[in-house]
Amino acid sequence: MTLPRTAKVSFGGDYNPEQWPQDVWKQDYQLFDLARIDTVTLGVFDWALIQPAPDVYDFALLDRIVDRAATEGRMICLATGTGAHPAWLARAHPEVCRTDFEGRRHRYGQRHNSCPSSPVFRRLSAELARRVARRYAGNPAVVAWHVGNEYGGACYCDLCAAAFRGWLRDRYGSLDALNAAWYTTFWSHTFTDWAEIEPPSALTEHWRGPDHTAFQGITLDYLRFTSDAMLTNFRDEKAAIRESSPDLPVTTNFMGMYRPLDYHRWAPHLDFVSWDNYPPDDTSAARTAFAHDLMRGLKDGQPFWLMEQTPSVTACRDVNPLKRPGVLRLWSWQAVAHGADAVLFFQLRASRGRARSTTAR
């Protein structure tokens, strides 16, 4: 299974009409016609809307959004909605929230705040993906599935600690092999029981932040473990999708040279690679070219999708240099020249508030 079947380079992006009254939707599609937008990514952050309570699923609004996009002749990249978990889930199961590098259990908030080792999170995220796929798999407008969103971050909770020890058992087989690989005789670090191993954090092996560690081996392996744990989350959702949609391609959006995840281990599990390009300034052509080539190389030269970029600001940055006229066109064609089969943006209509990056209207 490879890329979505499209007749041209797809053009469009994230569209979130649930953030606006329905009388705005008509204007949106008129503008999409003028801009020749043919592809929309829907439902990335809709978990709380689709599942407003533990045993309640409500697809009424998403039904209207999907039906309108299909009626208007747009291709749909449909998300599972698990890019951020809902408030009720954190309240009912506090363990789904991450424990940070400093050892603090987080409460509900932000976006990347789901513990990848939480059985509750794994079960409910997969169930949402299952229900979304079951409901929309037969819609001919849906050309691809979008799982999660920009996987990243890390958790240092007890669940992750236990899962890390299991991951180490599988990797090394014995404590003797682990002690030899990590050279634990230094600083009297020899482990005699798996339960003695702690995730490397500010409370254990690190000082001056995550980039300074007393034992490189355990820190490197925790990065590997975290990448594999989140890959397991992705695979959980993909397997749920496959129950009712065996043929449509499945992806998630990578972040170029993002260090914490091993995209080479992830790539075999994606049907096609997609990624989000947010250059730090408009003089980073070589950096962006390298990232494009990295993304294309993940699947041996198969074309990829540029899932996100923005002509305006990226709110997670302290400084947003003004883009020169024409530079976004150059970025878009640069992506195509490096193998992109889609040029998409975040987002097609700016949110009424609190967006990480927006498309100016």
Side-chain angles (χ1 to χ4, degrees):
M1 189 175 299
T2 57
L3 288 150
R5 297 185 182 92
T6 58
K8 58 179 285 294
V9 173
S10 300
F11 182 58
D14 273 52
Y15 179 45
N16 302 280
E18 66 273 14
Q19 299 175 7
W20 287 88
Q22 291 192 38
D23 57 5
V24 177
W25 300 4
K26 180 179 180 180
Q27 180 188 13
D28 285 342
Y29 281 103
Q30 291 172 343
L31 294 171
F32 294 169
D33 287 340
L34 291 173
R36 300 184 181 179
I37 287 171
D38 53 48
T39 303
V40 290
T41 300
L42 302 177
V44 174
F45 297 112
D46 280 1
W47 192 339
L49 293 178
I50 297 172
Q51 190 181 9
D55 299 315
V56 178
Y57 291 89
D58 183 357
F59 287 95
L61 181 56
L62 188 58
D63 281 349
R64 292 195 294 273
I65 291 170
V66 170
D67 289 346
R68 183 62 178 268
T71 301
E72 296 284 353
R74 268 60 185 189
M75 293 178 291
I76 299 171
C77 179
L78 188 56
T80 57
T82 54
H85 65 241
W88 64 259
L89 177 55
R91 184 180 183 188
H93 302 280
E95 72 277 9
V96 305
C97 294
R98 292 179 181 177
T99 295
D100 67 19
F101 182 76
E102 305 291 335
R104 300 169 298 188
R105 166 75 74 180
H106 281 210
R107 299 170 71 87
Y108 177 73
Q110 301 188 36
R111 174 168 56 119
H112 285 156
N113 191 24
S114 301
C115 169
S117 303
S118 164
V120 172
F121 173 76
R122 290 184 60 186
R123 174 174 56 85
L124 292 180
S125 59
E127 180 60 24
L128 183 63
R130 178 177 295 109
R131 289 175 182 253
V132 169
R134 184 188 302 154
R135 192 170 190 90
Y136 302 107
N139 192 319
V142 178
V143 299
W145 301 106
H146 183 307
V147 173
N149 187 74
E150 293 183 336
Y151 284 90
C155 180
Y156 299 85
C157 71
D158 290 342
L159 290 171
C160 284
F164 180 47
R165 296 178 191 118
W167 184 92
L168 291 171
R169 283 176 181 267
D170 291 340
R171 180 176 178 84
Y172 292 104
S174 70
L175 282 171
D176 286 343
L178 179 144
N179 283 317
W182 289 356
Y183 194 64
T184 57
T185 52
F186 189 71
W187 278 2
S188 191
H189 264 51
T190 301
F191 294 104
T192 58
D193 191 293
W194 295 103
E196 296 166 357
I197 299 172
E198 299 283 351
S201 70
L203 301 179
T204 57
E205 302 293 358
H206 283 252
W207 77 98
R208 288 188 353 206
D211 293 330
H212 296 80
T213 177
F215 277 87
Q216 294 87 348
I218 191 171
T219 295
L220 178 58
D221 271 342
Y222 203 74
L223 285 168
R224 290 166 171 158
F225 156 75
T226 296
S227 179
D228 284 354
M230 292 186 187
L231 175 56
T232 298
N233 295 162
F234 171 85
R235 294 178 65 186
D236 286 345
E237 292 193 43
K238 183 178 180 181
I241 290 169
R242 284 284 173 258
E243 293 174 13
S244 54
S245 180
D247 300 322
L248 286 184
V250 179
T251 192
T252 190
N253 44 342
F254 288 164
M255 294 181 286
M257 292 177 281
Y258 182 67
R259 175 175 171 266
L261 297 190
D262 185 351
Y263 287 155
H264 288 86
R265 286 177 64 86
W266 279 61
H269 303 282
L270 275 65
D271 296 318
F272 68 99
V273 168
S274 63
W275 83 285
D276 300 346
N277 180 34
Y278 292 102
D281 52 54
D282 61 4
T283 63
S284 304
R287 177 185 184 276
T288 301
F290 178 83
H292 284 316
D293 288 345
L294 174 62
M295 295 297 99
R296 184 163 189 175
L298 290 175
K299 293 189 78 68
D300 300 320
Q302 176 181 302
F304 59 91
W305 272 26
L306 177 58
M307 187 67 78
E308 292 184 21
Q309 59 178 345
T310 179
S312 56
V313 301
T314 306
C316 58
R317 293 202 175 103
D318 293 334
V319 177
N320 283 275
L322 184 66
K323 296 176 177 65
R324 292 177 290 112
V327 73
L328 190 67
R329 180 181 290 108
L330 292 175
W331 283 353
S332 299
W333 283 117
Q334 183 185 34
V336 173
H338 283 264
D341 270 7
V343 175
L344 309 178
F345 297 83
F346 186 91
Q347 51 185 328
L348 294 182
R349 176 177 284 278
S351 298
R352 288 188 287 177
R354 295 183 54 199
R356 184 174 68 90
S357 55
T358 59
T359 298
R361 298 298 293 242

